[in-house]
Structures are given as C-alpha cells and as structure tokens.
Amino acid sequence: MDKFDQSADASFKEQLLNELDALYRTARYLAGDPQLAEDIVHDVIAKALESKHTFRATAAMHPWIFTILRNTIKDHHRRQGRQPQNTGLETLELGSTDSSDVFFVDDYVLSHMLDEHIEQALAQLPEEMRLAVLMADVEGFSYKEIAEILGWPPGTVMSRLHRGRKKLRQYLIAYRRI
Amino acid sequence: MTSLQSNQNIEQLLGAYLDHELPKREIRALEARLAEDPALQDMLASERRFRMVFRERIQRTVAPASLRADVESLFAEHASQPATTPPLSPSSPSFVDNILNWLTASWQFPRWVMVTGTLLLLVATFSYSTLQTSGVVPAKTSHTSFRRLAGKHIVYFTPTPVLDVSGDAAEIDSWFQSRISWPVTVPDLPGWQLVGGRLGEFHHQPMVFLLYEGDGQSFSVIEFTPRETDFPEDLRQRLDKTDIYASLAMERPVVLWQQNGVGYGLIGDERQTTEGLLPLVSEILLQISLN
C-alpha cells in the first residue's frame, strides 16, 4: 500500500469511527436491545470495510453508512423471519389523545421527561416512523437524504415523519398522566 | 389564534420550517404570519425546545467500549488482508467478455448457449434464495458471535499477547475464580503450555481468555455467558455426544459449545483448522465434565 492509499485508508477508518455513536444509538433504539445493536453495528462496519471500494472519497460518509445500516437491519429482520415491528416494551394506551392539540409539548412535560419515558415512547412507534424521527431529529438528515437511504418517496418521508413526531409527543404527554 | 381545523397543516408547516425544508415563498408567508400571531410563536418556540431536548437526550447514548474494541479488531483484521486487485485497464477486454471467452473456448459451445445457461443458473440461484427467505431451506446465519470472539482473540493476543494474569495454572485459576461467577476450568492440555489469561467482555458480561502455546502455534480457550444466537444451527456437529459449532471466522478456526450453562470455545491461529482443534475440544469437554 503506498502513502496515498495509507492516508485514504486511515481517513476512511476515522470517518467510520466518527459514525459509531450515531450507528449504535440508531440501532439501539430500533432493535430495543443493546447487545443486538452491537451485533448490528459490528456487521455494518464489517460490510463497510468490504465495500470500501464503492465509497467515493468526496462523498459524505453519513448517508453512505446509514444506507448500509438500513440494509443490515433488513437482513436481520429477514433472518429472523419477521417484518419491522415494535419492540417488546410494554405498550401504553393513548386513549382519546389523538386530538389536534397535542402536537406541541409544554414545558412541564419537557422538564419531567425521563430518559426511560423517551425510550418507551420511541419503542411504541412503528419501526418506520421511529427510523424517520431518529434520522431527521437526531441525526440531522434532510428529507431528500432520508428518501434516498430508505428508498421511500419524498411524500412518504414527510407523512411518516409528521405522524411519528405526533405520536411520540402524544406518548410523552400520556406518560405525564401516569 | 389559528383555527383547530388548520392545526394539522400548521404542525406540518412549522415542522418543515424547523427542518429547513420549506420553499422560500412559504418561508416568507409563514414568517409574516408568525410576526402577527403570538400563539403561533409559542407553538414554534415549544417545538424548537422539544426537538433540542429530545436530540440532546438521545445523543447521550454512545457506543460502548466493547463495541469500539470490536471495531478496532475489525480494522486490524482488514489491515492485515492483502490489497484488492486493481481494475482492468480500459484497453483490456471486459470481465464479462473474459468469462464468455473462457467458457466458449473451453467448451466449444456457441455463445448463446452459454448465455442461456448462465441465465438458467441465475434463476435457479434466485429460486433457492427465495426458498431460504420463505424458510423452506435454512437461511445462512451471520455468525456474528464467531467473528466478534475471533476479533477479541486477535486484539488481545496478536501480534504480542497482552495478558492480565500469568503464572502456573493454579495461580491463573485462582485469579479468575474471584472475578467470574461460574467455576472456571483451566484445562491441562498435554503438549501445550498455558501462557496466561485475559479478562474480556462478551454480551456485557465478563469472560475468560486462556492463551496456550506450543510448537510455534497458539490458541485460546474461552469461557463466557452464552446466548442462544451464539450457536447457529447450520454450524452444528456432534462430538463426544455434545453439540459443537465450528466455523472459520476472521481466518481463524473457532469452535464453540455449551456445557452446564456456560459457553466454551477454542480459537486457533491462521495455520490451524477447525478439524485440527477437535482433539483439543474433546479433551476439554472431558476435563470440564470432571471439574
């Protein structure tokens, strides 16, 4: 390997390491199991190293590696013989909270929102909504990037994101009442 | 105050505004509306605060040290592999041409026969894959645990072993007994020298690595808290009335099995084979049953 290749290789690995937290937390909140999330991310990095030749140095690592993450999760579901679904956490009845005034979360809920409430509320979302919310609101992907990575039409991205955000807020407000 | 009927639109509008996804014309219209509507300003501020807190909370979740160690081992393994073959020059025949030329030259069949045959082969492969997906044929598993354990072995013991404990078998045994919740077995393997041990982590639980050397070769005996997924059905074979699971992972032979609720394994070096490890596995099975 010459000096240029070594430098490109080091840069590629550094970029992968920079993505590790984002990959892990996305896998963690999708899989609902820290160990499974580790296994998924391990497979993502192994695939990224195998597919290094398909990554252009001028391209952005963030969408490229998330595309691999999405495919790895699909493979995982296929091996388990299941469709994307909610994690096994206890479900919370929303009752009649599907009214039009619950999209905006007040300061009281914000200040009393525990990490476990966020985790449980996220886990109640259908997987595709959860993925849209995590990619847009935590990882900062644009609608166009999400559409490309997940293979959804742009209108689907917008509707899943909006419905996911709304349900998430409804669940968090419902936790306040418990 | 905005009407309830339009709340759905307002939510989406404010959401897209904060996402920087609104066209300029709609941004101007919304900002003009915001300037005159305190309730709308409150909604925007509330949504902005929620997003900030939500993002900050989720981003507290970071990759654990065990995963970072696994990834470093993948990097180390990847760095040790030879570079890939450079692409053919533009003047060279294409890869497909090379294959077709080779096939037609060796079999003396017309090209269309070979192309048709290739298509039939692809259809058969696709059908097999569909059967796998539908469960008719067992699907190939990922063997992630094999790779992760082999990766740990590489990181801990190559090129130079980094040990937590060394000495004679009794000392090593005593060191692990105080750190591991099950009765650790330190096998006595004729012809092999116990070099030392390393306390690792697997499935967020402590695990044992025991390094043995002899005749220029080395391997590690591992003991860990097992999960069902560590033992893929497609790798199962029988040895001394016990189910064992053997595969190559990261170019090293790995054999795993369960005994008395504990996961055990053997990870060899690149010159060894899974078959070559079986006599050692047999001996360890016996010693664990007597322990």
Short mmCIF file of all heavy atoms in Angstrom, two decimals, chain A residues 13 21 24 29 35 38-39 42-43 49 79 100 103-105 107 113-115 122 137-138 142-143 162 165-166 169 172, chain B residues 7-8 11-12 19 21 43 46-47 49-51 55 57 59-64 66 68 75 78 144 147-148 203-204 227:
data_model
loop_
_atom_site.label_atom_id
_atom_site.label_comp_id
_atom_site.label_asym_id
_atom_site.label_seq_id
_atom_site.Cartn_x
_atom_site.Cartn_y
_atom_site.Cartn_z
N LYS A 13 -11.22 4.97 7.85
CA LYS A 13 -11.47 4.36 9.16
C LYS A 13 -11.83 5.42 10.21
O LYS A 13 -12.69 5.19 11.06
CB LYS A 13 -10.27 3.54 9.59
CG LYS A 13 -10.17 2.26 8.79
CD LYS A 13 -8.93 1.48 9.09
CE LYS A 13 -8.92 0.21 8.24
NZ LYS A 13 -7.65 -0.50 8.32
N ASP A 21 -21.09 6.25 17.19
CA ASP A 21 -22.14 6.60 18.16
C ASP A 21 -23.50 6.71 17.46
O ASP A 21 -24.51 6.21 17.98
CB ASP A 21 -21.82 7.93 18.85
CG ASP A 21 -20.67 7.79 19.84
OD1 ASP A 21 -20.40 6.66 20.28
OD2 ASP A 21 -20.02 8.82 20.14
N TYR A 24 -24.73 3.26 16.53
CA TYR A 24 -25.12 2.47 17.70
C TYR A 24 -26.45 2.95 18.25
O TYR A 24 -27.35 2.14 18.52
CB TYR A 24 -24.04 2.53 18.78
CG TYR A 24 -24.46 1.82 20.04
CD1 TYR A 24 -24.53 0.43 20.08
CD2 TYR A 24 -24.87 2.54 21.16
CE1 TYR A 24 -24.96 -0.23 21.22
CE2 TYR A 24 -25.30 1.88 22.30
CZ TYR A 24 -25.35 0.50 22.32
OH TYR A 24 -25.79 -0.16 23.45
N TYR A 29 -32.08 2.06 19.38
CA TYR A 29 -33.49 2.44 19.51
C TYR A 29 -34.38 1.71 18.50
O TYR A 29 -35.58 1.65 18.67
CB TYR A 29 -33.66 3.96 19.43
CG TYR A 29 -33.15 4.64 20.66
CD1 TYR A 29 -31.96 5.36 20.65
CD2 TYR A 29 -33.82 4.51 21.87
CE1 TYR A 29 -31.46 5.95 21.80
CE2 TYR A 29 -33.33 5.09 23.03
CZ TYR A 29 -32.15 5.81 22.99
OH TYR A 29 -31.67 6.38 24.14
N GLN A 35 -27.39 -5.38 23.15
CA GLN A 35 -26.49 -6.40 22.59
C GLN A 35 -26.74 -6.60 21.10
O GLN A 35 -25.80 -6.71 20.30
CB GLN A 35 -26.66 -7.72 23.34
CG GLN A 35 -25.69 -8.81 22.93
CD GLN A 35 -24.25 -8.35 23.04
OE1 GLN A 35 -23.85 -7.86 24.09
NE2 GLN A 35 -23.48 -8.47 21.97
N GLU A 38 -25.22 -3.85 19.18
CA GLU A 38 -23.78 -4.04 18.97
C GLU A 38 -23.52 -4.99 17.81
O GLU A 38 -22.64 -4.76 16.99
CB GLU A 38 -23.12 -4.58 20.25
CG GLU A 38 -22.82 -3.53 21.28
CD GLU A 38 -21.89 -4.03 22.36
OE1 GLU A 38 -20.85 -4.63 22.03
OE2 GLU A 38 -22.21 -3.83 23.55
N ASP A 39 -24.28 -6.08 17.79
CA ASP A 39 -24.10 -7.06 16.70
C ASP A 39 -24.38 -6.42 15.34
O ASP A 39 -23.65 -6.64 14.37
CB ASP A 39 -25.03 -8.26 16.90
CG ASP A 39 -24.62 -9.14 18.08
OD1 ASP A 39 -23.50 -8.94 18.58
OD2 ASP A 39 -25.40 -10.01 18.48
N HIS A 42 -21.59 -3.99 14.44
CA HIS A 42 -20.42 -4.78 14.07
C HIS A 42 -20.53 -5.24 12.61
O HIS A 42 -19.58 -5.12 11.82
CB HIS A 42 -20.31 -5.98 15.01
CG HIS A 42 -19.10 -6.82 14.80
ND1 HIS A 42 -19.04 -7.82 13.85
CD2 HIS A 42 -17.89 -6.82 15.39
CE1 HIS A 42 -17.86 -8.39 13.88
NE2 HIS A 42 -17.13 -7.80 14.81
N ASP A 43 -21.71 -5.74 12.23
CA ASP A 43 -21.93 -6.19 10.85
C ASP A 43 -21.86 -5.02 9.87
O ASP A 43 -21.36 -5.17 8.76
CB ASP A 43 -23.29 -6.89 10.73
CG ASP A 43 -23.26 -8.31 11.30
OD1 ASP A 43 -22.16 -8.76 11.70
OD2 ASP A 43 -24.31 -8.96 11.35
N LEU A 49 -16.22 -2.09 5.47
CA LEU A 49 -14.82 -2.38 5.12
C LEU A 49 -14.75 -3.21 3.83
O LEU A 49 -13.88 -3.00 2.98
CB LEU A 49 -14.12 -3.11 6.26
CG LEU A 49 -13.86 -2.25 7.52
CD1 LEU A 49 -13.39 -3.11 8.68
CD2 LEU A 49 -12.83 -1.16 7.24
N ARG A 79 -33.57 -12.66 8.41
CA ARG A 79 -33.07 -13.87 9.09
C ARG A 79 -34.01 -14.29 10.21
O ARG A 79 -34.18 -15.46 10.50
CB ARG A 79 -31.68 -13.62 9.66
CG ARG A 79 -30.58 -13.75 8.63
CD ARG A 79 -29.25 -13.98 9.32
NE ARG A 79 -28.90 -12.93 10.24
CZ ARG A 79 -28.27 -11.82 9.90
NH1 ARG A 79 -27.91 -11.62 8.66
NH2 ARG A 79 -27.97 -10.90 10.79
N SER A 100 -56.22 17.25 18.07
CA SER A 100 -55.31 18.09 17.28
C SER A 100 -54.45 19.00 18.15
O SER A 100 -53.60 19.71 17.65
CB SER A 100 -56.13 18.93 16.31
OG SER A 100 -57.13 19.59 17.04
N PHE A 103 -49.82 18.12 19.63
CA PHE A 103 -48.55 18.05 18.91
C PHE A 103 -47.46 18.79 19.68
O PHE A 103 -46.33 18.35 19.73
CB PHE A 103 -48.71 18.67 17.52
CG PHE A 103 -47.49 18.50 16.66
CD1 PHE A 103 -47.25 17.30 16.02
CD2 PHE A 103 -46.56 19.51 16.54
CE1 PHE A 103 -46.13 17.12 15.24
CE2 PHE A 103 -45.43 19.34 15.76
CZ PHE A 103 -45.21 18.14 15.11
N PHE A 104 -47.81 19.89 20.32
CA PHE A 104 -46.80 20.71 20.98
C PHE A 104 -46.70 20.35 22.45
O PHE A 104 -47.69 20.31 23.17
CB PHE A 104 -47.11 22.19 20.77
CG PHE A 104 -47.12 22.53 19.31
CD1 PHE A 104 -48.32 22.67 18.63
CD2 PHE A 104 -45.94 22.64 18.60
CE1 PHE A 104 -48.33 22.93 17.27
CE2 PHE A 104 -45.96 22.90 17.24
CZ PHE A 104 -47.15 23.04 16.57
N VAL A 105 -45.48 20.06 22.87
CA VAL A 105 -45.23 19.57 24.23
C VAL A 105 -44.90 20.76 25.12
O VAL A 105 -44.01 21.55 24.79
CB VAL A 105 -44.06 18.57 24.21
CG1 VAL A 105 -43.71 18.13 25.61
CG2 VAL A 105 -44.42 17.37 23.35
N ASP A 107 -43.74 22.97 28.64
CA ASP A 107 -42.51 22.96 29.43
C ASP A 107 -42.56 21.99 30.60
O ASP A 107 -41.54 21.43 31.00
CB ASP A 107 -42.22 24.37 29.95
CG ASP A 107 -41.70 25.27 28.83
OD1 ASP A 107 -41.35 24.71 27.76
OD2 ASP A 107 -41.67 26.48 29.01
N MET A 113 -39.57 14.96 31.71
CA MET A 113 -39.41 13.85 30.75
C MET A 113 -38.15 13.05 31.12
O MET A 113 -37.04 13.57 31.07
CB MET A 113 -39.24 14.47 29.35
CG MET A 113 -39.45 13.55 28.23
SD MET A 113 -39.69 14.49 26.69
CE MET A 113 -38.06 15.18 26.38
N LEU A 114 -38.35 11.81 31.52
CA LEU A 114 -37.21 10.97 31.89
C LEU A 114 -36.69 10.24 30.65
O LEU A 114 -37.43 10.01 29.69
CB LEU A 114 -37.63 9.93 32.93
CG LEU A 114 -38.19 10.48 34.25
CD1 LEU A 114 -38.65 9.32 35.13
CD2 LEU A 114 -37.14 11.30 34.97
N ASP A 115 -35.42 9.84 30.72
CA ASP A 115 -34.84 9.11 29.59
C ASP A 115 -35.65 7.84 29.29
O ASP A 115 -35.85 7.47 28.15
CB ASP A 115 -33.38 8.72 29.89
CG ASP A 115 -32.48 9.94 29.84
OD1 ASP A 115 -32.95 11.02 29.43
OD2 ASP A 115 -31.30 9.82 30.22
N LEU A 122 -40.49 6.08 22.22
CA LEU A 122 -39.90 5.74 20.91
C LEU A 122 -40.24 4.30 20.53
O LEU A 122 -40.57 3.99 19.39
CB LEU A 122 -38.39 5.89 20.97
CG LEU A 122 -37.77 7.17 20.41
CD1 LEU A 122 -36.26 7.16 20.65
CD2 LEU A 122 -38.05 7.34 18.93
N ASP A 137 -34.57 13.99 13.32
CA ASP A 137 -34.48 14.83 14.51
C ASP A 137 -33.22 14.60 15.35
O ASP A 137 -32.87 15.44 16.16
CB ASP A 137 -35.72 14.63 15.39
CG ASP A 137 -36.96 15.17 14.71
OD1 ASP A 137 -36.82 15.80 13.65
OD2 ASP A 137 -38.07 14.96 15.23
N VAL A 138 -32.58 13.46 15.18
CA VAL A 138 -31.35 13.20 15.96
C VAL A 138 -30.12 13.26 15.06
O VAL A 138 -29.13 13.89 15.40
CB VAL A 138 -31.42 11.84 16.69
CG1 VAL A 138 -30.15 11.59 17.49
CG2 VAL A 138 -32.64 11.77 17.59
N SER A 142 -31.67 15.31 5.81
CA SER A 142 -32.72 16.05 5.11
C SER A 142 -33.77 15.06 4.60
O SER A 142 -33.52 13.84 4.56
CB SER A 142 -32.12 16.81 3.92
OG SER A 142 -31.69 15.89 2.94
N TYR A 143 -34.93 15.56 4.19
CA TYR A 143 -35.97 14.69 3.66
C TYR A 143 -35.43 13.91 2.45
O TYR A 143 -35.73 12.73 2.26
CB TYR A 143 -37.20 15.49 3.20
CG TYR A 143 -37.95 16.22 4.30
CD1 TYR A 143 -39.02 17.05 3.99
CD2 TYR A 143 -37.61 16.07 5.63
CE1 TYR A 143 -39.72 17.72 4.97
CE2 TYR A 143 -38.31 16.74 6.63
CZ TYR A 143 -39.36 17.58 6.29
OH TYR A 143 -40.06 18.23 7.26
N HIS A 162 -44.02 13.21 10.11
CA HIS A 162 -45.02 14.00 10.83
C HIS A 162 -45.83 13.12 11.78
O HIS A 162 -46.01 13.47 12.96
CB HIS A 162 -45.94 14.71 9.83
CG HIS A 162 -47.04 15.47 10.52
ND1 HIS A 162 -46.79 16.60 11.29
CD2 HIS A 162 -48.37 15.25 10.61
CE1 HIS A 162 -47.93 17.03 11.80
NE2 HIS A 162 -48.90 16.24 11.40
N ARG A 165 -43.61 12.00 14.70
CA ARG A 165 -43.40 13.07 15.69
C ARG A 165 -44.64 13.27 16.55
O ARG A 165 -44.55 13.43 17.77
CB ARG A 165 -43.07 14.38 14.96
CG ARG A 165 -41.65 14.47 14.46
CD ARG A 165 -41.48 15.67 13.56
NE ARG A 165 -40.08 15.87 13.21
CZ ARG A 165 -39.70 16.64 12.20
NH1 ARG A 165 -40.58 17.29 11.46
NH2 ARG A 165 -38.41 16.78 11.95
N LYS A 166 -45.77 13.25 15.89
CA LYS A 166 -47.02 13.49 16.62
C LYS A 166 -47.29 12.38 17.64
O LYS A 166 -47.59 12.65 18.80
CB LYS A 166 -48.18 13.58 15.62
CG LYS A 166 -49.49 13.96 16.26
CD LYS A 166 -50.46 14.48 15.22
CE LYS A 166 -51.73 14.99 15.90
NZ LYS A 166 -52.48 15.87 15.04
N ARG A 169 -44.94 12.61 20.70
CA ARG A 169 -45.36 13.65 21.65
C ARG A 169 -46.60 13.18 22.43
O ARG A 169 -46.72 13.43 23.63
CB ARG A 169 -45.64 14.95 20.90
CG ARG A 169 -44.34 15.64 20.48
CD ARG A 169 -44.51 16.40 19.19
NE ARG A 169 -43.28 17.05 18.75
CZ ARG A 169 -42.26 16.42 18.17
NH1 ARG A 169 -42.28 15.10 18.01
NH2 ARG A 169 -41.19 17.09 17.79
N LEU A 172 -45.49 10.82 25.11
CA LEU A 172 -44.80 11.50 26.21
C LEU A 172 -45.79 12.25 27.09
O LEU A 172 -45.65 12.27 28.32
CB LEU A 172 -43.74 12.46 25.64
CG LEU A 172 -42.50 11.75 25.12
CD1 LEU A 172 -41.63 12.69 24.31
CD2 LEU A 172 -41.70 11.14 26.26
N ASN B 7 -54.88 23.16 12.37
CA ASN B 7 -53.75 22.77 13.23
C ASN B 7 -52.84 21.73 12.57
O ASN B 7 -51.63 21.80 12.69
CB ASN B 7 -54.26 22.21 14.56
CG ASN B 7 -54.19 23.27 15.64
OD1 ASN B 7 -53.94 24.45 15.34
ND2 ASN B 7 -54.42 22.88 16.87
N GLN B 8 -53.47 20.77 11.90
CA GLN B 8 -52.70 19.73 11.23
C GLN B 8 -51.71 20.36 10.24
O GLN B 8 -50.54 20.00 10.20
CB GLN B 8 -53.65 18.79 10.49
CG GLN B 8 -52.98 17.69 9.70
CD GLN B 8 -52.73 16.45 10.55
OE1 GLN B 8 -53.01 16.44 11.75
NE2 GLN B 8 -52.19 15.43 9.96
N GLU B 11 -48.95 22.28 12.11
CA GLU B 11 -47.91 21.39 12.65
C GLU B 11 -46.92 21.01 11.57
O GLU B 11 -45.70 21.08 11.77
CB GLU B 11 -48.57 20.11 13.19
CG GLU B 11 -49.38 20.30 14.44
CD GLU B 11 -50.34 19.14 14.69
OE1 GLU B 11 -50.35 18.18 13.89
OE2 GLU B 11 -51.08 19.19 15.69
N GLN B 12 -47.46 20.62 10.43
CA GLN B 12 -46.56 20.20 9.34
C GLN B 12 -45.74 21.37 8.82
O GLN B 12 -44.55 21.21 8.53
CB GLN B 12 -47.38 19.59 8.20
CG GLN B 12 -47.71 18.13 8.47
CD GLN B 12 -48.26 17.41 7.26
OE1 GLN B 12 -49.30 17.82 6.76
NE2 GLN B 12 -47.60 16.36 6.82
N ASP B 19 -37.21 22.15 9.91
CA ASP B 19 -36.35 21.20 9.17
C ASP B 19 -35.62 21.89 8.01
O ASP B 19 -34.85 21.23 7.30
CB ASP B 19 -37.22 20.07 8.57
CG ASP B 19 -37.75 19.12 9.63
OD1 ASP B 19 -37.12 19.03 10.70
OD2 ASP B 19 -38.79 18.48 9.39
N GLU B 21 -36.96 22.84 5.27
CA GLU B 21 -37.42 22.15 4.07
C GLU B 21 -38.55 22.92 3.36
O GLU B 21 -39.13 22.40 2.42
CB GLU B 21 -37.94 20.74 4.42
CG GLU B 21 -36.89 19.80 5.03
CD GLU B 21 -36.03 19.09 3.98
OE1 GLU B 21 -36.23 19.34 2.77
OE2 GLU B 21 -35.15 18.30 4.39
N MET B 43 -46.08 28.16 19.70
CA MET B 43 -46.00 26.80 19.17
C MET B 43 -44.61 26.53 18.60
O MET B 43 -44.02 25.47 18.84
CB MET B 43 -47.02 26.61 18.03
CG MET B 43 -48.45 26.47 18.48
SD MET B 43 -49.47 26.24 17.01
CE MET B 43 -51.09 26.24 17.72
N SER B 46 -42.09 26.21 21.38
CA SER B 46 -42.30 24.95 22.10
C SER B 46 -41.71 23.78 21.30
O SER B 46 -41.02 22.91 21.85
CB SER B 46 -43.79 24.77 22.33
OG SER B 46 -44.08 23.45 22.64
N GLU B 47 -41.98 23.78 20.02
CA GLU B 47 -41.48 22.70 19.17
C GLU B 47 -39.95 22.72 19.10
O GLU B 47 -39.28 21.69 19.14
CB GLU B 47 -42.10 22.81 17.76
CG GLU B 47 -41.61 21.79 16.75
CD GLU B 47 -41.88 20.34 17.14
OE1 GLU B 47 -42.58 20.09 18.12
OE2 GLU B 47 -41.34 19.45 16.47
N ARG B 49 -37.89 23.87 21.38
CA ARG B 49 -37.35 23.40 22.66
C ARG B 49 -37.44 21.88 22.76
O ARG B 49 -36.51 21.22 23.19
CB ARG B 49 -38.14 24.03 23.83
CG ARG B 49 -37.65 25.40 24.24
CD ARG B 49 -38.17 25.76 25.65
NE ARG B 49 -39.62 25.72 25.74
CZ ARG B 49 -40.43 26.74 25.39
NH1 ARG B 49 -39.92 27.85 24.92
NH2 ARG B 49 -41.74 26.62 25.52
N PHE B 50 -38.60 21.35 22.33
CA PHE B 50 -38.77 19.90 22.42
C PHE B 50 -37.71 19.18 21.59
O PHE B 50 -37.08 18.23 22.04
CB PHE B 50 -40.17 19.47 21.95
CG PHE B 50 -40.32 17.98 21.94
CD1 PHE B 50 -40.59 17.29 23.11
CD2 PHE B 50 -40.13 17.25 20.77
CE1 PHE B 50 -40.69 15.91 23.11
CE2 PHE B 50 -40.23 15.86 20.76
CZ PHE B 50 -40.52 15.20 21.95
N ARG B 51 -37.52 19.66 20.38
CA ARG B 51 -36.54 19.00 19.49
C ARG B 51 -35.14 19.03 20.09
O ARG B 51 -34.39 18.07 20.01
CB ARG B 51 -36.52 19.69 18.13
CG ARG B 51 -37.73 19.36 17.31
CD ARG B 51 -37.50 19.82 15.91
NE ARG B 51 -38.69 19.63 15.11
CZ ARG B 51 -38.70 19.71 13.79
NH1 ARG B 51 -37.59 19.97 13.14
NH2 ARG B 51 -39.80 19.55 13.12
N ARG B 55 -33.21 15.63 21.07
CA ARG B 55 -31.94 15.29 20.41
C ARG B 55 -30.82 15.12 21.45
O ARG B 55 -30.07 14.16 21.42
CB ARG B 55 -31.55 16.37 19.39
CG ARG B 55 -30.25 16.06 18.66
CD ARG B 55 -30.01 16.95 17.46
NE ARG B 55 -30.12 18.36 17.79
CZ ARG B 55 -31.03 19.18 17.30
NH1 ARG B 55 -31.92 18.75 16.45
NH2 ARG B 55 -31.08 20.45 17.67
N ARG B 57 -31.05 14.33 24.57
CA ARG B 57 -31.23 13.11 25.39
C ARG B 57 -30.82 11.86 24.61
O ARG B 57 -30.14 10.98 25.14
CB ARG B 57 -32.69 12.97 25.81
CG ARG B 57 -33.17 14.04 26.76
CD ARG B 57 -32.68 13.78 28.17
NE ARG B 57 -33.32 14.69 29.11
CZ ARG B 57 -34.43 14.41 29.77
NH1 ARG B 57 -35.01 13.24 29.61
NH2 ARG B 57 -34.96 15.27 30.58
N GLN B 59 -28.82 11.67 22.09
CA GLN B 59 -27.39 11.66 21.77
C GLN B 59 -26.50 11.32 22.96
O GLN B 59 -25.30 11.14 22.82
CB GLN B 59 -26.98 13.01 21.15
CG GLN B 59 -27.49 13.13 19.72
CD GLN B 59 -27.07 14.40 19.03
OE1 GLN B 59 -26.67 15.36 19.68
NE2 GLN B 59 -27.17 14.42 17.71
N ARG B 60 -27.12 11.21 24.14
CA ARG B 60 -26.33 10.74 25.30
C ARG B 60 -25.97 9.27 25.13
O ARG B 60 -25.07 8.77 25.79
CB ARG B 60 -27.16 10.88 26.57
CG ARG B 60 -27.27 12.29 27.08
CD ARG B 60 -28.03 12.23 28.40
NE ARG B 60 -28.58 13.51 28.75
CZ ARG B 60 -29.48 13.67 29.71
NH1 ARG B 60 -29.91 12.64 30.40
NH2 ARG B 60 -29.93 14.86 29.99
N THR B 61 -26.73 8.56 24.32
CA THR B 61 -26.45 7.14 24.09
C THR B 61 -25.25 7.03 23.15
O THR B 61 -25.32 7.47 22.00
CB THR B 61 -27.67 6.44 23.45
OG1 THR B 61 -28.79 6.65 24.29
CG2 THR B 61 -27.42 4.96 23.26
N VAL B 62 -24.16 6.50 23.67
CA VAL B 62 -22.95 6.38 22.84
C VAL B 62 -22.53 4.91 22.74
O VAL B 62 -22.94 4.08 23.54
CB VAL B 62 -21.78 7.23 23.40
CG1 VAL B 62 -22.13 8.70 23.36
CG2 VAL B 62 -21.44 6.81 24.82
N ALA B 63 -21.71 4.64 21.75
CA ALA B 63 -21.23 3.26 21.53
C ALA B 63 -20.41 2.80 22.74
O ALA B 63 -19.53 3.53 23.20
CB ALA B 63 -20.38 3.21 20.28
N PRO B 64 -20.72 1.61 23.30
CA PRO B 64 -19.95 1.12 24.45
C PRO B 64 -18.51 0.76 24.07
O PRO B 64 -18.21 0.52 22.89
CB PRO B 64 -20.73 -0.12 24.88
CG PRO B 64 -21.56 -0.51 23.73
CD PRO B 64 -21.78 0.71 22.88
N SER B 66 -16.94 -1.89 24.55
CA SER B 66 -16.79 -3.23 23.97
C SER B 66 -16.98 -3.19 22.45
O SER B 66 -16.29 -3.88 21.71
CB SER B 66 -17.79 -4.20 24.60
OG SER B 66 -19.11 -3.69 24.48
N ARG B 68 -16.39 -0.53 20.54
CA ARG B 68 -15.20 0.14 19.97
C ARG B 68 -14.04 -0.85 19.83
O ARG B 68 -13.32 -0.84 18.84
CB ARG B 68 -14.78 1.33 20.83
CG ARG B 68 -15.76 2.48 20.75
CD ARG B 68 -15.25 3.80 21.26
NE ARG B 68 -16.28 4.80 21.01
CZ ARG B 68 -16.39 5.48 19.88
NH1 ARG B 68 -15.49 5.31 18.92
NH2 ARG B 68 -17.36 6.35 19.70
N PHE B 75 -10.78 -3.48 12.13
CA PHE B 75 -9.81 -2.66 11.39
C PHE B 75 -8.47 -3.40 11.29
O PHE B 75 -7.83 -3.41 10.24
CB PHE B 75 -9.59 -1.32 12.11
CG PHE B 75 -10.71 -0.34 11.94
CD1 PHE B 75 -10.72 0.85 12.64
CD2 PHE B 75 -11.78 -0.60 11.09
CE1 PHE B 75 -11.75 1.77 12.49
CE2 PHE B 75 -12.83 0.30 10.94
CZ PHE B 75 -12.81 1.49 11.64
N HIS B 78 -8.75 -6.15 8.84
CA HIS B 78 -8.85 -5.62 7.47
C HIS B 78 -7.49 -5.14 6.99
O HIS B 78 -7.11 -5.37 5.84
CB HIS B 78 -9.85 -4.46 7.46
CG HIS B 78 -10.11 -3.91 6.10
ND1 HIS B 78 -9.63 -2.69 5.68
CD2 HIS B 78 -10.78 -4.43 5.05
CE1 HIS B 78 -10.00 -2.49 4.44
NE2 HIS B 78 -10.69 -3.51 4.03
N THR B 144 -22.20 -13.75 13.72
CA THR B 144 -21.59 -12.56 14.32
C THR B 144 -20.78 -12.89 15.56
O THR B 144 -19.69 -12.35 15.75
CB THR B 144 -22.70 -11.55 14.69
OG1 THR B 144 -23.48 -11.31 13.53
CG2 THR B 144 -22.12 -10.25 15.18
N ARG B 147 -17.33 -14.09 14.74
CA ARG B 147 -16.43 -13.01 14.31
C ARG B 147 -16.00 -12.15 15.49
O ARG B 147 -14.85 -11.75 15.60
CB ARG B 147 -17.11 -12.15 13.25
CG ARG B 147 -17.21 -12.80 11.89
CD ARG B 147 -17.21 -11.75 10.79
NE ARG B 147 -18.30 -10.81 10.91
CZ ARG B 147 -19.52 -11.03 10.41
NH1 ARG B 147 -19.77 -12.14 9.77
NH2 ARG B 147 -20.46 -10.13 10.55
N ARG B 148 -16.97 -11.87 16.37
CA ARG B 148 -16.64 -10.98 17.49
C ARG B 148 -15.63 -11.65 18.44
O ARG B 148 -14.72 -11.01 18.94
CB ARG B 148 -17.90 -10.58 18.24
CG ARG B 148 -18.80 -9.73 17.36
CD ARG B 148 -20.01 -9.26 18.10
NE ARG B 148 -19.64 -8.37 19.17
CZ ARG B 148 -20.40 -8.09 20.21
NH1 ARG B 148 -21.57 -8.65 20.33
NH2 ARG B 148 -19.99 -7.25 21.12
N HIS B 203 -21.25 -9.99 25.54
CA HIS B 203 -22.64 -9.79 25.96
C HIS B 203 -22.70 -9.00 27.26
O HIS B 203 -23.51 -9.29 28.13
CB HIS B 203 -23.36 -11.13 26.16
CG HIS B 203 -23.44 -11.99 24.92
ND1 HIS B 203 -23.57 -11.47 23.65
CD2 HIS B 203 -23.39 -13.33 24.76
CE1 HIS B 203 -23.63 -12.46 22.77
NE2 HIS B 203 -23.50 -13.59 23.40
N HIS B 204 -21.84 -8.04 27.40
CA HIS B 204 -21.79 -7.18 28.59
C HIS B 204 -21.50 -7.98 29.87
O HIS B 204 -21.85 -7.55 30.96
CB HIS B 204 -23.09 -6.38 28.75
CG HIS B 204 -23.33 -5.46 27.60
ND1 HIS B 204 -22.62 -4.31 27.41
CD2 HIS B 204 -24.19 -5.54 26.56
CE1 HIS B 204 -23.03 -3.70 26.31
NE2 HIS B 204 -23.97 -4.43 25.76
N ARG B 227 -25.46 -16.95 24.76
CA ARG B 227 -26.83 -16.66 24.29
C ARG B 227 -27.16 -17.68 23.21
O ARG B 227 -26.25 -18.17 22.53
CB ARG B 227 -26.90 -15.27 23.68
CG ARG B 227 -26.93 -14.17 24.70
CD ARG B 227 -27.30 -12.87 24.02
NE ARG B 227 -27.43 -11.81 24.99
CZ ARG B 227 -28.04 -10.67 24.76
NH1 ARG B 227 -28.57 -10.43 23.58
NH2 ARG B 227 -28.13 -9.74 25.68
#
